[in-house]
Amino acid sequence: MLLIAVLSGLGVVLGVFNANPEIIYKFPTRFQRTFSILVFKSPFQDVHAIVEGSNEWHYELMKRGYRKWVDNPLTILFGNRVVSARDMSSFYQRTYYERVQIAENMAAYESGLWTILATLGVVGFILYFSLFKYLLGPVIRSLWRHKITDYPSAFAFLAVASISAWVIFCWVAGHFPSEPLMLAVIARAAYDDQQEQAPCIS
């Protein structure tokens, strides 16, 4: 019943936004970009123009991340160094391509996948994968068997949900998986504490 209610509410919201797309402009600018995804593409309205510049920015950064990664065999394996920006005070006064170059130098590709590959290469990607496998391997198995029943399993769920969301969207959003890694460490620590406190079974 709850799922039906949520889907019905979403249907009503979609209907309202698509019946009158101009309603998006009544919201603050920060929300207009988010709400534009609720409007299906139509030649009779221009609400998607809100995100065109942002989409071009993301696409250009992803292209540069890929090109930087495959530049030569060494960059494929070990990635590239990060160059810090000396002066960010005039960032938005610079040209589009100057800003893109600064973002590229700082490894701010706004894509988790290309950030890791372009900066750390295949070796870094494998190390990240191995670390998450070590931290979450037993945690995931325990969560699968016992579901969410206590605080360690709650931390386990948060960690699994966080890394799952990162994996699903890493090709188009995100950065280094810092938050998923932090949650994975907490979940593994909670799991290990629980195992130590569990009574020994002979």
Side-chain angles (χ1 to χ4, degrees):
M1 293 301 295
L2 180 60
L3 181 59
I4 292 173
V6 170
L7 291 176
S8 299
L10 180 60
V12 171
V13 171
L14 288 173
V16 169
F17 275 101
N18 283 278
N20 183 21
E22 303 301 319
I23 197 174
I24 287 179
Y25 297 116
K26 297 183 182 296
F27 293 92
T29 305
R30 292 184 61 184
F31 294 99
Q32 291 177 13
R33 182 172 181 268
T34 303
F35 289 152
S36 68
I37 65 172
L38 300 175
V39 180
F40 301 118
K41 192 69 175 175
S42 168
F44 304 108
Q45 46 80 22
D46 63 347
V47 294
H48 293 95
I50 299 169
V51 298
E52 285 180 358
S54 178
N55 291 341
E56 290 176 6
W57 170 266
H58 281 81
Y59 184 61
E60 180 66 25
L61 285 175
M62 285 192 290
K63 285 195 304 181
R64 287 179 176 236
Y66 172 76
R67 287 200 303 263
K68 202 163 186 177
W69 174 48
V70 298
D71 184 53
N72 59 67
L74 281 178
T75 59
I76 291 175
L77 286 176
F78 302 108
N80 298 270
R81 69 190 184 97
V82 176
V83 181
S84 63
R86 295 182 179 179
D87 180 19
M88 292 292 289
S89 60
S90 60
F91 179 77
Y92 290 104
Q93 281 71 50
R94 303 187 185 211
T95 66
Y96 172 79
Y97 287 104
E98 286 176 338
R99 283 180 286 163
V100 171
Q101 186 61 53
I102 292 173
E104 179 184 358
N105 291 340
M106 296 176 63
Y109 297 105
E110 300 188 16
S111 165
L113 176 64
W114 300 120
T115 297
I116 289 180
L117 290 176
T119 309
L120 302 174
V122 173
V123 172
F125 188 88
I126 293 173
L127 289 174
Y128 261 119
F129 177 82
S130 302
L131 180 57
F132 274 104
K133 183 179 179 181
Y134 166 75
L135 291 172
L136 294 180
V139 172
I140 292 173
R141 289 191 292 270
S142 176
L143 181 64
W144 181 263
R145 285 196 304 266
H146 305 295
K147 307 298 186 284
I148 302 176
T149 55
D150 48 26
Y151 82 88
S153 58
F155 281 124
F157 173 77
L158 290 174
V160 172
S162 181
I163 190 57
S164 298
W166 187 91
V167 169
I168 292 171
F169 298 107
C170 69
W171 65 279
V172 72
H175 203 259
F176 293 107
S178 304
E179 180 183 335
L181 182 58
M182 178 190 69
L183 291 173
V185 170
I186 294 174
R188 180 58 186 264
Y191 170 83
D192 288 343
D193 286 346
Q194 186 182 50
Q195 294 302 111
E196 291 178 2
Q197 295 171 6
C200 296
I201 300 177
S202 56

Coordinates of all heavy atoms in Angstrom, one line a residue, residues 30-111:
R30 N 18.5 26.9 -7.9 CA 19.1 25.6 -7.5 C 18.2 24.5 -7.7 O 18.6 23.4 -8.0 CB 19.6 25.7 -6.1 CG 20.7 26.7 -5.8 CD 21.2 26.6 -4.4 NE 21.7 25.3 -4.0 CZ 22.1 24.9 -2.8 NH1 22.0 25.8 -1.8 NH2 22.5 23.7 -2.6
F31 N 16.9 24.7 -7.5 CA 15.9 23.6 -7.7 C 15.4 23.4 -9.1 O 15.0 22.3 -9.5 CB 14.7 23.9 -6.8 CG 15.0 23.8 -5.3 CD1 15.2 25.0 -4.6 CD2 15.1 22.6 -4.6 CE1 15.5 25.0 -3.3 CE2 15.4 22.6 -3.3 CZ 15.6 23.8 -2.6
Q32 N 15.5 24.4 -9.9 CA 15.1 24.3 -11.3 C 15.8 23.2 -12.1 O 15.2 22.5 -12.8 CB 15.3 25.7 -12.0 CG 14.4 26.8 -11.5 CD 14.6 28.1 -12.2 OE1 15.3 28.1 -13.2 NE2 14.1 29.2 -11.7
R33 N 17.1 23.1 -11.8 CA 18.0 22.1 -12.5 C 17.5 20.7 -12.1 O 17.4 19.8 -12.9 CB 19.4 22.4 -12.2 CG 20.4 21.4 -12.9 CD 21.8 21.8 -12.6 NE 22.8 20.9 -13.2 CZ 23.3 19.9 -12.7 NH1 23.0 19.6 -11.4 NH2 24.2 19.1 -13.3
T34 N 17.2 20.5 -10.8 CA 16.8 19.2 -10.4 C 15.4 18.8 -10.9 O 15.2 17.7 -11.4 CB 16.8 19.2 -8.8 OG1 18.1 19.5 -8.3 CG2 16.4 17.8 -8.3
F35 N 14.5 19.8 -10.8 CA 13.1 19.5 -11.2 C 13.0 19.3 -12.7 O 12.0 18.7 -13.2 CB 12.2 20.6 -10.8 CG 12.0 20.6 -9.3 CD1 11.7 21.8 -8.6 CD2 12.1 19.5 -8.5 CE1 11.5 21.8 -7.2 CE2 11.9 19.5 -7.2 CZ 11.6 20.6 -6.5
S36 N 14.0 19.8 -13.5 CA 13.9 19.7 -15.0 C 13.9 18.2 -15.4 O 13.4 17.9 -16.5 CB 15.0 20.4 -15.7 OG 16.3 19.8 -15.4
I37 N 14.4 17.3 -14.6 CA 14.4 15.9 -15.0 C 13.0 15.3 -15.0 O 12.8 14.2 -15.5 CB 15.3 15.0 -14.1 CG1 14.8 15.0 -12.7 CG2 16.8 15.6 -14.2 CD1 15.6 14.1 -11.8
L38 N 12.1 16.0 -14.3 CA 10.7 15.5 -14.2 C 9.9 15.8 -15.4 O 8.8 15.3 -15.6 CB 10.0 16.1 -13.0 CG 10.6 15.8 -11.6 CD1 9.9 16.5 -10.5 CD2 10.6 14.3 -11.3
V39 N 10.4 16.6 -16.3 CA 9.7 17.0 -17.5 C 10.3 16.3 -18.7 O 11.5 16.3 -19.0 CB 9.9 18.5 -17.8 CG1 9.1 18.9 -19.1 CG2 9.3 19.3 -16.6
F40 N 9.4 15.5 -19.4 CA 9.9 14.8 -20.6 C 10.2 15.7 -21.7 O 9.6 16.8 -21.9 CB 8.8 13.8 -21.0 CG 8.5 12.8 -19.9 CD1 7.2 12.7 -19.4 CD2 9.5 12.0 -19.4 CE1 6.9 11.8 -18.4 CE2 9.1 11.1 -18.4 CZ 7.9 11.0 -17.9
K41 N 11.2 15.4 -22.5 CA 11.6 16.3 -23.6 C 10.5 16.6 -24.5 O 9.8 15.7 -25.0 CB 12.8 15.6 -24.4 CG 13.5 16.5 -25.3 CD 14.4 17.5 -24.5 CE 15.2 18.4 -25.5 NZ 15.9 19.4 -24.8
S42 N 10.4 17.9 -24.8 CA 9.3 18.3 -25.7 C 9.8 19.5 -26.5 O 10.5 20.4 -26.0 CB 8.1 18.7 -24.9 OG 7.2 19.4 -25.7
P43 N 9.5 19.6 -27.8 CA 9.9 20.7 -28.6 C 9.1 22.0 -28.3 O 9.5 23.0 -28.8 CB 9.6 20.2 -30.1 CG 8.5 19.3 -29.9 CD 8.7 18.6 -28.6
F44 N 8.2 21.9 -27.4 CA 7.3 23.0 -27.2 C 7.7 23.8 -25.9 O 7.0 24.7 -25.4 CB 5.8 22.6 -27.1 CG 5.4 21.9 -28.3 CD1 5.2 20.5 -28.3 CD2 5.2 22.6 -29.5 CE1 4.7 19.9 -29.4 CE2 4.8 21.9 -30.6 CZ 4.6 20.5 -30.6
Q45 N 8.8 23.4 -25.2 CA 9.2 24.0 -24.0 C 10.7 23.9 -23.9 O 11.4 23.1 -24.6 CB 8.6 23.5 -22.8 CG 8.5 22.0 -22.7 CD 9.8 21.3 -22.2 OE1 10.6 22.0 -21.6 NE2 10.1 20.1 -22.5
D46 N 11.3 24.8 -23.1 CA 12.8 24.9 -23.1 C 13.4 24.8 -21.7 O 14.4 25.2 -21.4 CB 13.2 26.3 -23.7 CG 12.7 27.5 -22.8 OD1 11.8 27.2 -22.0 OD2 13.2 28.6 -23.0
V47 N 12.6 24.1 -20.8 CA 13.1 23.9 -19.4 C 14.4 23.2 -19.4 O 15.2 23.4 -18.4 CB 12.1 23.2 -18.5 CG1 10.8 24.1 -18.4 CG2 11.7 21.9 -19.1
H48 N 14.7 22.3 -20.4 CA 15.9 21.6 -20.3 C 17.2 22.4 -20.7 O 18.3 21.9 -20.5 CB 15.9 20.3 -21.2 CG 14.9 19.3 -20.8 ND1 13.6 19.3 -21.2 CD2 15.0 18.3 -19.8 CE1 12.9 18.3 -20.6 NE2 13.7 17.7 -19.8
A49 N 16.9 23.6 -21.2 CA 18.1 24.5 -21.4 C 18.8 24.9 -20.1 O 20.0 25.2 -20.1 CB 17.6 25.8 -22.1
I50 N 18.1 24.7 -19.0 CA 18.7 24.9 -17.7 C 20.0 24.1 -17.5 O 21.0 24.5 -16.9 CB 17.7 24.6 -16.5 CG1 16.5 25.5 -16.7 CG2 18.4 24.8 -15.2 CD1 15.3 25.1 -15.8
V51 N 19.9 22.8 -18.0 CA 21.0 21.9 -17.7 C 22.0 21.7 -18.9 O 22.9 20.9 -18.8 CB 20.4 20.5 -17.3 CG1 19.6 20.6 -16.0 CG2 19.6 19.9 -18.4
E52 N 21.7 22.4 -20.0 CA 22.6 22.2 -21.2 C 24.0 22.5 -20.9 O 24.9 21.8 -21.2 CB 22.0 23.0 -22.4 CG 20.8 22.3 -23.0 CD 20.3 23.1 -24.1 OE1 20.9 24.2 -24.4 OE2 19.3 22.7 -24.8
G53 N 24.3 23.7 -20.3 CA 25.6 24.1 -20.0 C 26.3 23.1 -19.0 O 27.5 22.8 -19.2
S54 N 25.6 22.7 -18.0 CA 26.1 21.7 -17.0 C 26.4 20.4 -17.7 O 27.5 19.8 -17.4 CB 25.1 21.5 -15.9 OG 25.6 20.5 -15.0
N55 N 25.6 19.9 -18.6 CA 25.8 18.7 -19.3 C 27.1 18.8 -20.2 O 27.8 17.8 -20.3 CB 24.6 18.3 -20.2 CG 23.4 17.9 -19.3 OD1 23.5 17.6 -18.2 ND2 22.2 17.9 -19.9
E56 N 27.2 19.9 -20.9 CA 28.4 20.1 -21.7 C 29.7 20.1 -20.9 O 30.7 19.5 -21.3 CB 28.3 21.4 -22.5 CG 27.2 21.4 -23.6 CD 27.1 22.8 -24.2 OE1 27.9 23.7 -23.9 OE2 26.2 22.9 -25.1
W57 N 29.6 20.7 -19.7 CA 30.8 20.7 -18.8 C 31.1 19.3 -18.4 O 32.3 18.9 -18.4 CB 30.4 21.6 -17.6 CG 31.4 21.6 -16.4 CD1 31.3 20.8 -15.3 CD2 32.5 22.4 -16.3 NE1 32.3 21.0 -14.5 CE2 33.1 22.0 -15.0 CE3 33.1 23.4 -17.0 CZ2 34.2 22.6 -14.5 CZ3 34.3 24.0 -16.5 CH2 34.8 23.6 -15.3
H58 N 30.1 18.5 -17.9 CA 30.4 17.2 -17.5 C 31.0 16.3 -18.6 O 31.9 15.5 -18.4 CB 29.1 16.5 -16.9 CG 28.8 17.0 -15.5 ND1 28.2 18.1 -15.3 CD2 29.0 16.4 -14.4 CE1 28.0 18.2 -13.9 NE2 28.5 17.2 -13.4
Y59 N 30.4 16.4 -19.8 CA 30.8 15.6 -20.9 C 32.2 16.0 -21.3 O 33.0 15.1 -21.6 CB 29.9 15.9 -22.1 CG 30.2 15.0 -23.3 CD1 30.1 13.6 -23.2 CD2 30.5 15.6 -24.5 CE1 30.4 12.8 -24.3 CE2 30.8 14.8 -25.6 CZ 30.7 13.4 -25.5 OH 31.0 12.6 -26.6
E60 N 32.6 17.2 -21.3 CA 33.9 17.7 -21.7 C 34.9 17.1 -20.7 O 36.0 16.6 -21.0 CB 34.0 19.2 -21.7 CG 35.4 19.7 -22.1 CD 35.8 19.4 -23.5 OE1 35.0 19.2 -24.4 OE2 37.1 19.3 -23.7
L61 N 34.6 17.2 -19.4 CA 35.5 16.6 -18.3 C 35.7 15.1 -18.5 O 36.8 14.6 -18.3 CB 35.0 17.0 -16.9 CG 35.2 18.5 -16.5 CD1 34.5 18.7 -15.2 CD2 36.7 18.8 -16.4
M62 N 34.6 14.4 -18.8 CA 34.7 13.0 -18.9 C 35.6 12.6 -20.1 O 36.4 11.7 -20.1 CB 33.3 12.3 -19.1 CG 32.5 12.3 -17.8 SD 31.1 11.2 -17.9 CE 30.0 12.3 -19.0
K63 N 35.5 13.4 -21.2 CA 36.3 13.1 -22.4 C 37.8 13.4 -22.1 O 38.6 12.6 -22.4 CB 35.9 14.0 -23.6 CG 34.6 13.6 -24.3 CD 34.5 14.3 -25.6 CE 34.5 15.8 -25.5 NZ 34.4 16.5 -26.8
R64 N 38.0 14.4 -21.3 CA 39.4 14.7 -21.0 C 40.0 13.7 -20.0 O 41.2 13.3 -20.1 CB 39.5 16.1 -20.4 CG 39.3 17.3 -21.4 CD 39.4 18.6 -20.7 NE 39.3 19.7 -21.7 CZ 40.2 20.6 -21.9 NH1 41.2 20.7 -21.2 NH2 40.0 21.6 -22.8
G65 N 39.2 13.2 -19.1 CA 39.6 12.2 -18.2 C 40.0 10.9 -18.9 O 41.0 10.3 -18.6
Y66 N 39.2 10.5 -19.9 CA 39.5 9.3 -20.7 C 40.8 9.5 -21.5 O 41.7 8.6 -21.5 CB 38.3 9.0 -21.6 CG 38.6 7.9 -22.6 CD1 38.7 6.6 -22.2 CD2 39.0 8.2 -23.9 CE1 39.0 5.6 -23.1 CE2 39.3 7.2 -24.8 CZ 39.3 5.9 -24.4 OH 39.6 4.9 -25.2
R67 N 40.9 10.7 -22.1 CA 42.1 10.9 -22.9 C 43.4 11.0 -22.1 O 44.4 10.5 -22.5 CB 41.9 12.2 -23.7 CG 41.0 12.2 -24.9 CD 41.2 13.3 -25.9 NE 41.1 14.6 -25.3 CZ 40.1 15.4 -25.3 NH1 39.0 15.0 -25.9 NH2 40.1 16.6 -24.7
K68 N 43.2 11.5 -20.9 CA 44.4 11.6 -20.0 C 44.8 10.2 -19.5 O 46.0 9.9 -19.4 CB 44.1 12.5 -18.9 CG 45.3 13.1 -18.2 CD 45.0 14.3 -17.3 CE 46.3 14.9 -16.8 NZ 46.0 16.2 -16.0
W69 N 43.8 9.4 -19.3 CA 44.1 8.0 -18.8 C 44.8 7.2 -19.9 O 45.7 6.5 -19.6 CB 42.8 7.4 -18.4 CG 42.9 5.9 -18.0 CD1 43.9 5.4 -17.2 CD2 42.1 4.8 -18.5 NE1 43.7 4.0 -17.1 CE2 42.7 3.6 -17.9 CE3 41.0 4.7 -19.3 CZ2 42.1 2.4 -18.1 CZ3 40.5 3.4 -19.5 CH2 41.0 2.3 -18.9
V70 N 44.3 7.3 -21.1 CA 44.9 6.4 -22.2 C 46.0 7.1 -22.9 O 46.4 6.6 -24.0 CB 43.8 6.0 -23.2 CG1 42.7 5.2 -22.5 CG2 43.2 7.2 -23.9
D71 N 46.6 8.1 -22.4 CA 47.7 8.9 -23.0 C 48.9 8.0 -23.4 O 49.4 8.1 -24.5 CB 48.1 10.0 -22.2 CG 49.2 10.9 -22.9 OD1 48.9 11.3 -24.0 OD2 50.2 11.1 -22.3
N72 N 49.3 7.1 -22.5 CA 50.4 6.2 -22.8 C 50.3 5.0 -21.8 O 49.5 5.0 -20.8 CB 51.7 6.9 -22.6 CG 52.0 7.5 -21.2 OD1 52.1 6.7 -20.3 ND2 52.0 8.8 -21.2
P73 N 51.1 3.9 -22.0 CA 50.9 2.7 -21.1 C 51.1 3.0 -19.6 O 50.5 2.4 -18.8 CB 52.0 1.8 -21.6 CG 52.2 2.2 -23.1 CD 52.0 3.7 -23.1
L74 N 52.0 4.0 -19.3 CA 52.3 4.3 -17.9 C 51.0 5.0 -17.3 O 50.7 4.7 -16.1 CB 53.5 5.2 -17.8 CG 54.9 4.6 -17.8 CD1 56.0 5.6 -17.7 CD2 55.0 3.5 -16.7
T75 N 50.4 5.9 -18.0 CA 49.2 6.5 -17.4 C 48.1 5.5 -17.3 O 47.2 5.7 -16.4 CB 48.8 7.7 -18.3 OG1 48.5 7.3 -19.6 CG2 49.8 8.8 -18.3
I76 N 48.0 4.6 -18.2 CA 46.9 3.5 -18.1 C 47.1 2.8 -16.8 O 46.2 2.5 -16.1 CB 47.0 2.6 -19.3 CG1 46.5 3.4 -20.6 CG2 46.1 1.4 -19.1 CD1 46.6 2.6 -21.8
L77 N 48.4 2.4 -16.5 CA 48.7 1.7 -15.3 C 48.7 2.5 -14.0 O 48.1 2.1 -13.0 CB 50.0 1.0 -15.4 CG 50.1 -0.2 -16.4 CD1 51.6 -0.7 -16.5 CD2 49.2 -1.3 -15.9
F78 N 49.3 3.7 -14.0 CA 49.5 4.4 -12.8 C 48.8 5.8 -12.8 O 49.0 6.5 -11.8 CB 51.0 4.6 -12.6 CG 51.7 3.3 -12.5 CD1 52.6 2.9 -13.5 CD2 51.6 2.4 -11.4 CE1 53.3 1.6 -13.4 CE2 52.2 1.2 -11.3 CZ 53.1 0.8 -12.3
G79 N 48.2 6.2 -13.8 CA 47.5 7.5 -13.8 C 48.4 8.7 -14.0 O 49.5 8.6 -14.5
N80 N 47.9 9.8 -13.6 CA 48.6 11.1 -13.7 C 48.7 11.9 -12.4 O 47.9 11.6 -11.5 CB 47.9 12.0 -14.8 CG 47.8 11.4 -16.1 OD1 48.7 11.6 -17.0 ND2 46.8 10.6 -16.4
R81 N 49.6 12.8 -12.3 CA 49.8 13.6 -11.1 C 48.7 14.7 -11.1 O 48.1 15.1 -12.1 CB 51.1 14.2 -11.1 CG 51.4 15.3 -12.1 CD 52.9 15.7 -12.1 NE 53.2 16.8 -13.0 CZ 53.2 18.1 -12.6 NH1 53.1 18.4 -11.3 NH2 53.5 19.0 -13.5
V82 N 48.4 15.1 -9.9 CA 47.4 16.2 -9.7 C 48.1 17.5 -9.5 O 49.1 17.6 -8.8 CB 46.5 15.9 -8.5 CG1 45.6 17.1 -8.2 CG2 45.8 14.6 -8.6
V83 N 47.7 18.5 -10.3 CA 48.3 19.8 -10.2 C 47.3 20.8 -9.5 O 46.2 21.0 -10.0 CB 48.6 20.4 -11.6 CG1 49.3 21.7 -11.5 CG2 49.5 19.4 -12.4
S84 N 47.8 21.3 -8.4 CA 46.9 22.2 -7.6 C 46.8 23.6 -8.3 O 47.7 24.0 -9.0 CB 47.4 22.4 -6.2 OG 48.7 23.0 -6.2
A85 N 45.6 24.2 -8.1 CA 45.4 25.6 -8.6 C 46.0 26.6 -7.7 O 45.7 26.5 -6.5 CB 44.0 25.8 -8.9
R86 N 46.8 27.5 -8.2 CA 47.4 28.5 -7.3 C 46.4 29.6 -6.8 O 46.5 30.0 -5.7 CB 48.6 29.1 -8.0 CG 49.7 28.1 -8.3 CD 50.9 28.8 -8.9 NE 52.0 27.9 -9.2 CZ 53.2 28.2 -9.8 NH1 53.4 29.5 -10.2 NH2 54.1 27.3 -9.9
D87 N 45.6 30.0 -7.7 CA 44.7 31.1 -7.4 C 43.3 30.7 -7.9 O 43.1 30.7 -9.2 CB 45.2 32.4 -8.1 CG 44.2 33.5 -7.7 OD1 43.5 33.4 -6.8 OD2 44.3 34.5 -8.5
M88 N 42.3 30.5 -7.0 CA 41.0 30.1 -7.4 C 40.0 31.3 -7.3 O 38.8 31.2 -7.5 CB 40.5 28.9 -6.6 CG 41.2 27.6 -6.8 SD 40.8 27.0 -8.5 CE 39.1 26.5 -8.2
S89 N 40.5 32.4 -6.8 CA 39.7 33.6 -6.6 C 39.0 34.1 -7.9 O 37.9 34.6 -7.8 CB 40.4 34.7 -5.9 OG 41.5 35.1 -6.8
S90 N 39.7 34.0 -9.0 CA 39.1 34.5 -10.3 C 38.6 33.3 -11.2 O 38.6 33.5 -12.4 CB 40.1 35.3 -11.0 OG 41.3 34.5 -11.3
F91 N 38.3 32.2 -10.6 CA 37.9 31.0 -11.3 C 36.8 31.3 -12.3 O 36.8 31.0 -13.5 CB 37.6 29.8 -10.4 CG 37.2 28.6 -11.1 CD1 38.1 27.8 -11.7 CD2 35.9 28.2 -11.2 CE1 37.8 26.6 -12.4 CE2 35.5 27.1 -11.9 CZ 36.4 26.3 -12.5
Y92 N 35.7 31.9 -11.8 CA 34.5 32.1 -12.6 C 34.6 33.3 -13.5 O 33.8 33.5 -14.4 CB 33.3 32.3 -11.7 CG 32.9 31.0 -11.0 CD1 33.2 30.8 -9.7 CD2 32.3 30.0 -11.7 CE1 32.9 29.6 -9.0 CE2 32.0 28.8 -11.1 CZ 32.3 28.6 -9.8 OH 32.0 27.4 -9.2
Q93 N 35.7 34.1 -13.4 CA 36.0 35.1 -14.4 C 36.8 34.7 -15.6 O 37.0 35.4 -16.6 CB 36.7 36.3 -13.7 CG 35.8 37.2 -12.8 CD 35.4 36.5 -11.6 OE1 36.2 36.0 -10.9 NE2 34.1 36.6 -11.3
R94 N 37.3 33.4 -15.5 CA 38.1 32.9 -16.6 C 37.2 32.3 -17.7 O 36.0 32.2 -17.5 CB 39.0 31.8 -16.1 CG 39.9 32.3 -15.0 CD 41.0 31.3 -14.6 NE 41.7 31.8 -13.4 CZ 43.0 31.4 -13.2 NH1 43.6 30.7 -14.1 NH2 43.6 31.9 -12.1
T95 N 37.8 32.0 -18.9 CA 37.1 31.5 -20.0 C 36.7 30.0 -19.7 O 37.2 29.4 -18.8 CB 37.9 31.5 -21.3 OG1 39.0 30.6 -21.1 CG2 38.4 32.9 -21.6
Y96 N 35.7 29.5 -20.4 CA 35.2 28.2 -20.2 C 36.3 27.1 -20.3 O 36.4 26.3 -19.4 CB 34.2 27.9 -21.3 CG 33.7 26.5 -21.3 CD1 32.7 26.0 -20.4 CD2 34.2 25.5 -22.3 CE1 32.3 24.7 -20.5 CE2 33.7 24.2 -22.3 CZ 32.8 23.8 -21.4 OH 32.3 22.5 -21.4
Y97 N 37.2 27.2 -21.3 CA 38.2 26.2 -21.5 C 39.4 26.4 -20.4 O 40.0 25.4 -20.1 CB 38.8 26.3 -22.9 CG 37.8 25.7 -23.9 CD1 37.1 26.5 -24.7 CD2 37.6 24.3 -24.0 CE1 36.2 26.0 -25.6 CE2 36.7 23.7 -24.8 CZ 36.0 24.6 -25.7 OH 35.1 24.0 -26.6
E98 N 39.6 27.6 -19.9 CA 40.5 27.7 -18.8 C 40.0 27.1 -17.6 O 40.8 26.4 -16.8 CB 40.8 29.2 -18.6 CG 41.6 29.9 -19.6 CD 41.8 31.4 -19.4 OE1 40.9 32.0 -18.7 OE2 42.7 32.0 -19.8
R99 N 38.7 27.2 -17.3 CA 38.1 26.5 -16.1 C 38.2 25.0 -16.3 O 38.4 24.3 -15.3 CB 36.7 27.0 -15.9 CG 36.6 28.4 -15.3 CD 35.2 28.8 -15.1 NE 34.6 29.2 -16.4 CZ 33.2 29.3 -16.6 NH1 32.4 29.0 -15.6 NH2 32.8 29.6 -17.8
V100 N 37.9 24.5 -17.5 CA 37.9 23.1 -17.7 C 39.4 22.6 -17.5 O 39.6 21.5 -16.9 CB 37.5 22.7 -19.2 CG1 37.8 21.3 -19.5 CG2 36.0 23.0 -19.3
Q101 N 40.4 23.3 -18.0 CA 41.8 22.9 -17.8 C 42.1 22.9 -16.3 O 42.9 22.0 -15.9 CB 42.7 23.9 -18.6 CG 44.1 23.5 -18.6 CD 44.4 22.1 -19.2 OE1 43.9 21.9 -20.4 NE2 45.0 21.2 -18.6
I102 N 41.7 23.9 -15.5 CA 42.0 23.9 -14.1 C 41.3 22.7 -13.4 O 42.0 22.0 -12.6 CB 41.4 25.2 -13.5 CG1 42.2 26.4 -13.9 CG2 41.5 25.1 -11.9 CD1 41.6 27.7 -13.5
A103 N 40.1 22.4 -13.8 CA 39.4 21.2 -13.2 C 40.2 19.9 -13.6 O 40.3 19.0 -12.8 CB 38.0 21.1 -13.7
E104 N 40.6 19.8 -14.9 CA 41.4 18.6 -15.3 C 42.7 18.5 -14.5 O 43.0 17.4 -14.1 CB 41.7 18.7 -16.8 CG 42.5 17.6 -17.3 CD 42.8 17.7 -18.8 OE1 42.4 18.7 -19.4 OE2 43.5 16.9 -19.3
N105 N 43.4 19.6 -14.3 CA 44.7 19.6 -13.6 C 44.5 19.1 -12.2 O 45.3 18.4 -11.6 CB 45.3 20.9 -13.6 CG 45.8 21.3 -15.0 OD1 46.0 20.5 -15.8 ND2 46.0 22.6 -15.2
M106 N 43.3 19.5 -11.6 CA 43.0 19.1 -10.2 C 42.3 17.8 -10.1 O 42.0 17.3 -9.0 CB 42.2 20.2 -9.5 CG 42.8 21.5 -9.5 SD 41.7 22.8 -8.8 CE 41.4 22.2 -7.2
A107 N 42.2 17.0 -11.2 CA 41.5 15.7 -11.2 C 40.0 15.9 -10.7 O 39.5 14.9 -10.1 CB 42.2 14.7 -10.4
A108 N 39.4 17.0 -11.0 CA 38.0 17.2 -10.6 C 37.1 16.9 -11.8 O 36.5 17.8 -12.4 CB 37.8 18.7 -10.1
Y109 N 37.1 15.7 -12.2 CA 36.4 15.3 -13.4 C 34.9 15.1 -13.2 O 34.1 14.9 -14.2 CB 37.0 13.9 -14.0 CG 38.4 14.0 -14.4 CD1 39.4 13.5 -13.6 CD2 38.8 14.7 -15.5 CE1 40.7 13.6 -13.9 CE2 40.1 14.8 -15.9 CZ 41.1 14.2 -15.1 OH 42.4 14.3 -15.5
E110 N 34.4 15.2 -12.0 CA 33.0 15.1 -11.6 C 32.5 13.7 -12.1 O 31.3 13.6 -12.5 CB 32.2 16.2 -12.1 CG 32.7 17.6 -11.6 CD 31.8 18.7 -11.9 OE1 30.6 18.5 -12.3 OE2 32.2 19.9 -11.8
S111 N 33.3 12.7 -12.1 CA 33.0 11.4 -12.5 C 33.9 10.4 -11.7 O 35.2 10.5 -11.9 CB 33.2 11.1 -14.0 OG 33.2 9.7 -14.3

